[in-house]
Amino acid sequence: MNIFDIDEILRTFLQFCEKPTLARLARTNKLFSDPALDALWETLESFSHLLKIFPPELISWHASDSTPPKPTVNHLIVPRDWKRFAMYAQRVRTWSPEDLSYIEEPVVDHIAFGRNPDFILPRLTHIEVTASTVSGVHLQTLILCPTLESVTIWNQTPNVWSTRAMNTFFRTLSDRAPNLRKLTVHWGDGVAVTAPFVDGLSDMFSSKVSVLNSVNLWSPNCIDAKSFCLLSQLPCLTTLHLNLINMEDASTICSDVKDHASTFPALQNLFLAGNIEQFYKMLRFFGTARVMVSLGFSVREYPTSKHLLQLLGSVATNFPGLRIFQFNVPKEEIRTQEVNRLYHLNSEQYHLDLTTLQPLLTMRNLAAVHLELGVPLYLSDTDMCVIGSAWPAIEVLNLCSDPYCERARAVRPAATVQGLLAVATACPALQHLGLFLDCSIGISEDALSSVNIVSRALINLDVGRSWVVEPPLVAALLSGVFPALKVFQWAGMDSPDSWTSNSAAGLQFAHSPGWRQVFDLLPVFHAVRRNERRALSAKGDEVRMFVD
């Protein structure tokens, strides 16, 4: 018996073959033909590949210098024209993102009126819709079928016509895809979103037997009070991402929820983007989700100590068993001049320290905490000891390693190498650590001679914009205390210009040249440490043999 006679083994083997190989195997014999064709057509990169299966006298192609060739249907499509098309279309499982601007409305009309009663891609499970043109939206609306499990919609620059067409798309998707489990919507900056768009999207959440378990609305204005109320009652929803940016009062979308004690029964992962002042007004509507595992927030301004303390207090009250917490101020999304001006006007209200984090320290189950605040988090070595004792089981900890605020770049970190060692010692399961440190003090050659291993679990260290003066000493220390360290990161590592102190980037990332030296020296010192440990181990074995 040939091992390829076992269908599972053959299909697993074909997953590792490239397309030219699959094409040759499909022409080899009956044993390989069907499985190879399934693998070859499993992911559809362009709908034009299917259109070219039609007889050449049916569809002609017109080339252009600036755009892809455009198809033209020369006469009505009749049932016999679909026979060869269907043989390949039934193998497609995933339709990758594709710009369908080459598909014009007459082609869509011919496909709509001439198609067989069956679905065009009857086994499609995943589709990424690039809704850049109305004709493209209409074509992909035709494609929707009951086997769909995941739909992602992308349009970075939507217009009024494509937005209007999405109402029909959503309503059709709601009717045709009862097994849909994941929905993701990226619709630009939300300016083009209209009431019909939101109404169509709400239809997706109206089924009481829905199996949707992941909803990601990444663009603003995609949700209103009605759709939020429907979302809150979805029985299988475990992951929810909402963009509330530009919403003056986020609590208004919760107005239709009458009994928040029964909302979001299965929710485990929640991510909100918007205004920090609005977040804690909404959290009570998610507070009944006692199975909440992960909670994240994203804002476009530096958080004040008052608002961050209020938010963290609400988090600790509503989700005491939380496992993962993150708060991000993405550098690429903030209005740099505006937020820096506000920081300069009253820097005291942006003073963040251990007191701000106090509510989080009461949550003993946390396994991951990721804070990127844009402004420094003032933590001393003593504070690092407190944090380590509060979260002994923590595995991922990033305490604002990269405070990129221009007005705060001259601020000297309070925590030193001693704080780094303290938190690593107190948290034996810690694998990823990000800190803003002053590594210019607290290290001497005498201290290096007596250094011991602090953590064998730590594999990723992010020092961000930490200060460093003597890179060789720092590299020697890190190689000794963290023997398993594999990934070392710092602010400016992706910008080679920052590795020299006399460049513009070097001035922006003042300590990047020093950390580059540490990065280069770490493998050398790690090798030296390994040889030292081997020598000590061999010496110990000799002593034991002599004693025996």
Side-chain angles (χ1 to χ4, degrees):
M1 180 179 177
N2 192 321
I3 62 169
F4 290 133
D5 289 334
I6 303 174
D7 190 62
E8 291 80 1
I9 294 179
L10 175 57
R11 292 181 183 275
T12 302
F13 166 76
L14 293 175
Q15 289 178 1
F16 298 94
C17 295
E18 296 181 351
K19 288 191 174 183
T21 303
L22 290 172
R24 287 192 292 270
L25 288 172
R27 299 191 294 269
T28 302
N29 56 41
K30 288 185 178 181
L31 174 65
F32 286 101
S33 182
D34 269 350
L37 284 173
D38 286 343
L40 191 62
W41 284 91
E42 181 177 12
T43 299
L44 182 65
E45 296 177 354
S46 174
F47 194 72
S48 63
H49 297 164
L50 281 173
L51 290 179
K52 290 177 181 178
I53 294 174
F54 281 117
E57 65 273 11
L58 175 61
I59 295 183
S60 55
W61 294 83
H62 306 280
S64 171
D65 294 336
S66 57
T67 60
K70 293 185 176 183
T72 299
V73 180
N74 299 320
H75 56 76
L76 291 177
I77 304 176
V78 296
R80 65 174 178 270
D81 294 327
W82 289 95
K83 186 175 181 179
R84 189 163 178 264
F85 180 99
M87 185 178 74
Y88 294 97
Q90 67 178 345
R91 305 176 191 275
V92 176
R93 300 291 187 274
T94 300
W95 189 354
S96 300
E98 179 187 6
D99 181 4
L100 292 171
S101 57
Y102 67 92
I103 300 290
E104 296 181 341
E105 202 66 44
V107 175
V108 180
D109 292 340
H110 275 285
I111 294 174
F113 293 123
R115 68 187 177 93
N116 286 330
D118 295 333
F119 294 98
I120 297 173
L121 302 180
R123 297 180 182 175
L124 187 68
T125 58
H126 306 283
I127 183 173
E128 295 197 32
V129 179
T130 51
S132 55
T133 63
V134 174
S135 57
V137 174
H138 288 167
L139 174 62
Q140 293 185 309
T141 302
L142 284 176
I143 298 298
L144 300 177
C145 61
T147 56
L148 276 170
E149 297 177 5
S150 171
V151 173
T152 300
I153 300 164
W154 298 86
N155 194 335
Q156 295 302 316
T157 56
N159 55 45
V160 63
W161 299 280
S162 58
T163 302
R164 186 180 301 163
M166 288 306 297
N167 178 274
T168 303
F169 178 91
F170 286 131
R171 294 167 68 87
T172 306
L173 180 62
S174 178
D175 290 340
R176 289 191 188 173
N179 298 315
L180 189 68
R181 286 172 168 77
K182 182 177 180 180
L183 175 66
T184 302
V185 178
H186 297 261
W187 204 253
D189 57 7
V191 174
V193 172
T194 59
F197 182 97
V198 177
D199 287 342
L201 190 55
S202 297
D203 271 8
M204 298 294 306
F205 315 135
S206 59
S207 174
K208 293 183 179 180
V209 293
S210 171
V211 295
L212 265 174
N213 58 33
S214 178
V215 175
N216 309 287
L217 306 180
W218 289 109
S219 295
N221 307 326
C222 286
I223 189 169
D224 59 7
K226 174 187 174 183
S227 52
F228 182 81
C229 183
L230 293 172
L231 272 173
S232 70
Q233 301 303 316
L234 289 178
C236 302
L237 187 65
T238 59
T239 300
L240 177 62
H241 290 195
L242 294 179
N243 191 328
L244 307 175
I245 290 173
N246 301 330
M247 190 170 290
E248 294 183 2
D249 187 0
S251 61
T252 57
I253 69 170
C254 310
S255 58
D256 283 6
V257 179
K258 304 304 180 186
D259 180 17
H260 65 81
S262 61
T263 56
F264 300 101
L267 194 63
Q268 297 180 22
N269 309 292
L270 174 65
F271 188 89
L272 300 176
N275 189 327
I276 188 173
E277 299 177 43
Q278 307 298 332
F279 291 151
Y280 52 84
K281 297 179 182 179
M282 293 185 63
L283 285 185
R284 65 189 180 93
F285 293 95
F286 303 98
T288 56
R290 297 301 177 185
V291 293
M292 188 74 77
V293 175
S294 172
L295 182 61
F297 302 96
S298 178
V299 300
R300 293 183 175 181
E301 58 188 7
Y302 304 140
T304 64
S305 55
K306 173 185 175 182
H307 290 144
L308 187 57
L309 182 60
Q310 286 178 320
L311 177 62
L312 298 184
S314 182
V315 169
T317 301
N318 287 284
F319 314 108
L322 196 68
R323 296 280 294 162
I324 301 171
F325 179 80
Q326 58 178 318
F327 188 101
N328 295 316
V329 185
K331 184 179 180 181
E332 62 276 5
E333 294 184 13
I334 66 171
R335 298 184 295 272
T336 305
Q337 292 184 346
E338 176 65 16
V339 295
N340 284 338
R341 184 184 66 83
L342 292 174
Y343 180 88
H344 179 65
L345 290 176
N346 191 352
S347 59
E348 285 301 315
Q349 68 176 348
Y350 297 97
H351 184 87
L352 309 176
D353 54 22
L354 188 67
T355 303
T356 312
L357 300 183
Q358 201 62 48
L360 282 184
L361 298 180
T362 64
M363 304 170 67
R364 307 286 291 185
N365 293 328
L366 281 169
V369 174
H370 182 91
L371 303 177
E372 282 297 349
L373 309 172
V375 293
L377 186 56
Y378 297 89
L379 299 172
S380 66
D381 290 341
T382 303
D383 295 336
M384 299 307 301
C385 294
V386 173
I387 290 171
S389 61
W391 297 325
I394 200 84
E395 298 174 15
V396 176
L397 180 62
N398 189 329
L399 298 176
C400 196
S401 61
D402 182 13
Y404 54 80
C405 175
E406 293 180 4
R407 299 286 183 175
R409 284 181 186 165
V411 174
R412 192 183 193 101
T416 68
V417 170
Q418 301 306 317
L420 166 68
L421 301 182
V423 73
T425 303
C427 306
L430 192 62
Q431 299 179 30
H432 176 110
L433 180 59
L435 294 174
F436 182 47
L437 299 167
D438 183 359
C439 295
S440 63
I441 58 176
I443 306 176
S444 65
E445 294 185 7
D446 293 337
L448 289 177
S449 62
S450 59
V451 69
N452 295 316
I453 293 175
V454 171
S455 172
R456 295 185 183 276
L458 193 74
I459 58 175
N460 189 315
L461 180 62
D462 182 358
V463 295
R465 293 179 188 266
S466 296
W467 291 28
V468 61
V469 173
E470 298 184 81
L473 291 181
V474 174
L477 175 71
L478 295 179
S479 66
V481 296
F482 304 131
L485 188 64
K486 296 180 180 178
V487 180
F488 182 77
Q489 299 170 282
W490 73 94
M493 67 176 297
D494 295 327
S495 175
D497 290 342
S498 72
W499 303 343
T500 55
S501 56
N502 59 352
S503 66
L507 295 175
Q508 181 183 2
F509 302 100
H511 294 274
S512 182
W515 289 119
R516 174 67 196 192
Q517 292 183 49
V518 173
F519 177 79
D520 291 337
L521 290 170
L522 271 174
V524 178
F525 281 113
H526 267 134
V528 172
R529 297 288 187 182
R530 281 194 297 270
N531 289 334
E532 289 176 350
R533 286 192 288 270
R534 287 170 185 162
L536 288 173
S537 177
K539 186 176 181 180
D541 291 341
E542 290 178 1
V543 170
R544 282 191 292 273
M545 290 175 61
F546 179 77
V547 171
D548 293 342

